[in-house]
């Protein structure tokens, strides 16, 4: 778990989804050049490999009909900016030891695949603020499975509403942070988590005034599509 601190983390959502195409190498290179605390990415499993893409349906990001899992060869999927869908290995090569990564699990059946891939990279110095790697998911069962696999990386449940089993999951997962939908963030829970040494992060916040209000209520950080604007205005 994290220690309560006064830092306010700015995390690029899907790289910098409001500035460059989300989850693209172009976007990740752009985000890496910014003075932000971390980037968030989404991963899916296909053909015993991990790929960085958010959507199950390919239409929005590629302009081509079909489902990611049904495609015969993900390396041939072209994004709207004419780049191939990146692999997690490419992202780790680009970011390792340079900027923290929040890896959000969208659809991964073989979680050992993720742990083995991360274990192949060199050891990192202790983080000064955010963990070098933070693994999050809406699928809390996947996080529990990672815990049971002795995952060495900190975990973060994501909630789209107000959690009903907060205390139970705190005990089961011992998370570093908990990630809340901005529409449903409960400041009583934020305070309670802070007392327990767990950071509260909120997604997806693109209004600096809202970000300031969240910070004043003890939220530890935000996921934003427009990190450049947030850096200038916060």
């Amino acid at each position: 778990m994290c220690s309560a601190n006064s830092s306010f983390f700015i995390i690029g959502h899907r790289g910098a989804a409001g500035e460059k195409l989300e989850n693209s190498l172009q976007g990740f290179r752009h985000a890496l050049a910014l003075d932000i605390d971390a980037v968030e990415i989404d991963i899916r499993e296909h053909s015993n490999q991990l790929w960085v893409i958010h959507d199950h349906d390919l239409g929005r990001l590629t302009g081509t009909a079909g489902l990611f899992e049904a495609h015969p060869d993900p390396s041939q999927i072209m994004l709207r900016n004419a780049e191939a869908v990146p692999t997690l290995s490419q992202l780790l090569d680009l970011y390792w030891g340079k900027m923290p990564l929040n890896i959000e699990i969208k659809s991964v059946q073989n979680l050992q695949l993720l742990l083995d891939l991360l274990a192949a990279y060199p050891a990192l110095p202790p983080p000064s603020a955010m963990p070098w790697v933070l693994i999050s998911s809406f699928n809390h069962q996947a996080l529990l499975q990672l815990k049971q696999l002795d995952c060495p990386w900190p975990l973060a449940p994501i909630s789209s509403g107000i959690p009903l089993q907060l205390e139970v999951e705190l005990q089961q997962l011992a998370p570093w942070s908990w990630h809340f939908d901005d529409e449903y963030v409960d400041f009583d829970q934020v305070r309670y988590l802070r007392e327990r040494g767990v950071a509260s992060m909120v997604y997806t916040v693109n209004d600096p005034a809202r970000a300031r209000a969240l910070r004043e209520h003890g939220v530890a950080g935000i996921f934003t599509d427009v990190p450049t604007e947030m850096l200038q205005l916060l």
Side-chain angles (χ1 to χ4, degrees):
M1 296 186 183
C2 76
S3 59
N5 60 72
S6 58
S7 300
F8 188 73
F9 301 117
I10 297 177
I11 304 167
H13 184 233
R14 305 178 195 171
E19 300 175 14
K20 302 290 182 181
L21 184 68
E22 67 177 64
N23 283 325
S24 68
L25 286 176
Q26 178 192 42
F28 291 127
R29 292 189 183 101
H30 168 73
L32 185 59
L34 302 177
D35 188 24
I36 57 178
D37 297 286
V39 296
E40 180 265 354
I41 68 173
D42 305 280
I43 62 169
R44 293 181 177 273
E45 180 184 352
H46 193 306
S47 304
N48 204 40
Q49 194 167 1
L50 299 173
W51 305 81
V52 181
I53 186 169
H54 180 275
D55 292 2
H56 174 58
D57 189 309
L58 294 172
R60 181 178 69 90
L61 296 173
T62 71
T64 303
L67 302 180
F68 175 77
E69 289 78 2
H71 198 283
D73 185 359
S75 68
Q76 299 303 307
I77 299 174
M78 292 293 115
L79 299 171
R80 288 187 179 273
N81 68 347
E83 289 183 355
V85 173
T87 65
L88 179 55
S89 295
Q90 288 176 294
L91 258 293
L92 295 175
D93 289 346
L94 181 63
Y95 271 76
W96 196 260
K98 299 175 184 175
M99 183 181 286
L101 277 174
N102 177 184
I103 301 173
E104 181 183 332
I105 296 170
K106 284 299 182 187
S107 179
V108 177
Q109 299 302 313
N110 182 6
L111 292 168
Q112 190 63 50
L113 191 65
L114 172 60
L115 296 181
D116 290 346
L117 178 59
L118 291 170
Y121 284 80
L124 293 166
S128 59
M130 279 205 56
W132 285 109
V133 174
L134 178 63
I135 302 175
S136 64
S137 187
F138 285 97
N139 182 353
H140 298 186
Q141 188 64 39
L143 298 181
L144 182 58
Q145 187 178 344
L146 283 170
K147 194 75 176 175
Q148 293 166 345
L149 289 170
D150 295 323
C151 174
W153 305 101
L155 305 174
I158 310 174
S159 296
S160 56
I162 297 174
L164 295 177
Q165 300 291 326
L166 184 68
E167 187 60 40
V168 171
E169 295 197 66
L170 283 175
Q171 294 177 13
Q172 291 177 328
L173 299 174
W176 188 87
S177 56
W178 202 297
H179 302 172
F180 295 101
D181 185 334
D182 186 27
E183 185 175 359
Y184 297 106
V185 60
D186 182 322
F187 294 125
D188 288 335
Q189 287 191 340
V190 169
R191 284 190 290 273
Y192 177 72
L193 287 170
R194 188 176 179 86
E195 290 169 0
R196 296 288 300 272
V198 179
S200 295
M201 310 283 204
V202 176
Y203 66 93
T204 304
V205 182
N206 296 324
D207 176 12
R210 176 58 175 166
R212 293 189 197 99
L214 291 168
R215 181 172 58 186
E216 290 170 3
H217 279 94
V219 168
I222 56 166
F223 299 88
T224 179
D225 295 325
V226 287
T228 300
E229 182 178 350
M230 286 295 175
L231 286 169
Q232 292 172 346
L233 297 178
L234 278 178

